[in-house]
Amino acid sequence: MCGIVGAILKRGQVLQGMIEGLRVLEYRGYDSAGVAVATADGIRVAKKAGRLEGLEGVLVERDFPDAQAGIGHTRWATHGPPTDLNAHPHVDDSGQVAVVHNGIIENYLELRDELQAKGIELKSDTDTEVLTQLIGEELKDSGLAVAVGRALARVRGYYAIAVLRGGSSPEVVCARQGPPLLVGLAREGTWLGSDVLAVIPHTRDVIFLEDGDIAELTASEVTVRDMEGKVVKRESQRVDWEASHTGKGQWPHFMLKEIHEQPDVLAHTSFHRIDEEQGDVRFDEGGWTDADLAGIDCIQGIACGTALHAAHVTRSLIEGLARVPVDLDFASEFRYRDPIVRPGTLALAISQSGETADTLAALRKARELGARTACICNVAGSTMVRESDSALMTQAGPEIGVASTKAFVAQLVAAYLLAIRLGRARGVLSRDRGRELLNDLRTLRPKMEQLLSDDFREHVLGIAQRHQGVKGFLFLGRGINYPIALEGALKLKEISYMHAEGYAAGEMKHGPIAMIEAWMSSVVVTGHGLMAQKVRSNIEQIRARGGPVIAVGADRESLDLADEAMEVPDCGEWLSPILNVIPLQLLSYEIARLRGCDIDKPRNLAKSVTVE
Ligand code: M6R
């Protein structure tokens, strides 16, 4: 979704750094971009619908001035189409302040009428311009931070905003209610961003703003106040991501780079947490000791998209290994139904970003209803991590490709560790069984690497070539691998725009079987034990109706029955989703590449969905 960057500097020029920041934020998804800088005469703005290159063209054409204070934005349209006029920053009637905004002002229509009645002419269709004019109005009799506070007090909705005032002593104020916003403390000045990645080229010391915070930035300090104007203390944190993580290196796409990082993600997320001696897992994060886990009788999983597929696997792992009942829901459904949360419930959110609006809302609802809250999350300092009673961090590093790959694998690894921890804490898993399970995890890395060899990729490419022209894909799986079928279908849809459906294989005969024909390819994730037998009959049934089958997994008999096979090393049932998903990620990647799609920035998608 939208991205914000900005700075006020002691030395150096801000424009280049802002453009670099916006480039880093491109991965979040956007349809227009803009910047504003402060000059002695006021504000100068450049904005353009389309990609960042368009904005850069405008900057060159207009010989846009550089400056030491500025704000920038990548917009993902909500109010009004993606046009130059609707792009941010917006400037107030007096030309004194510019505003960039992530979020939605819900009462903007009534505020717009009020402004129009005062004779203020609004130029765009956006809710943001309404807020900008309100700030401009308040500025007539107060300083910038107070004016921002007063304007925000009139607004209903959620926002992260950055406000720039021009003149000989430029000012920058930012505020947050909902979407993330942080301030970076660098030697050359103070940066702000909606995402840590926008500021880490300059500094790794950041202050994560909290809801209701209004921060006044100077080139050497930050003062944070609440909505009543009272100064509040916010500690800075050192983030351990490197600026180099934000580059593609030699890879043609972030997605391919991130798929290949998965063996490292396994190692970083798990190896230091393994207690070999005890056949157990130790988390540095608080909230996971035997005593902490003693009162948990059931788990409510909540997540969206790929993270929800990880939650499905988490359910199989926790129920199977720790015997704790797990219920699941789409976060977007959970937040609006009237759920029953039993005493002893742990609400477990899973999220790469820790900022997904639906997941946050669902987690807050679960807390209101009496649940203890926890999250499996990839971004330290994110809202979800800060608001949860306990957090379990995945160590996937920044994920830039919009289609989640390595974060998903990290979530599966974290879930496996959590299931073992729960099983050991509850006395359901013996020390020896814990050791066996951890040993299986330790030996997984070379098996993942086999699936990332050039030969295997060539093999997958061949399958992609033979199937890229079909009418659609059906992905089928059972048990712990049912969510892998869902994930395979989602990946393919997201980046290749081909129609794909993920289904529980046992449901095939209740409807989807009607779709089987020569131009409908089925990708079948094979199983273990009884599940393997069941999946074999699915393969036979599809083939009997003339449908081509691509089988993925370790079950030899299933692979032999299929037309095409993507063979995966055997690693036992509990870890099989981690290996099975890799060929599916590669298949989607290759099909999307053959079809000429924009793999890292698929149309209409945003990396982090921070609005409803
Ligand atoms: O940041 P989150 O993990 O909470 O994001 C959840 C979904 O929006 C995300 O997984 C989405 O489905 C991805 N595009 C999947 O590739």
Side-chain angles (χ1 to χ4, degrees), residues 303-309 350-357 359 376 384 399 401-405 407 411 487 490-491 494-495 602 605-609:
C304 302
T306 287
L308 184 64
H309 301 154
I350 302 187
S351 174
Q352 187 286 128
S353 62
E355 303 293 352
T356 301
T359 312
I376 293 179
M384 214 171 289
E399 188 178 64
V402 166
S404 186
T405 53
Q411 287 158 358
E487 178 59 9
L490 180 67
K491 260 339 45 116
E494 279 187 300
I495 60 167
L605 286 181
K607 179 66 184 164
S608 178
V609 185

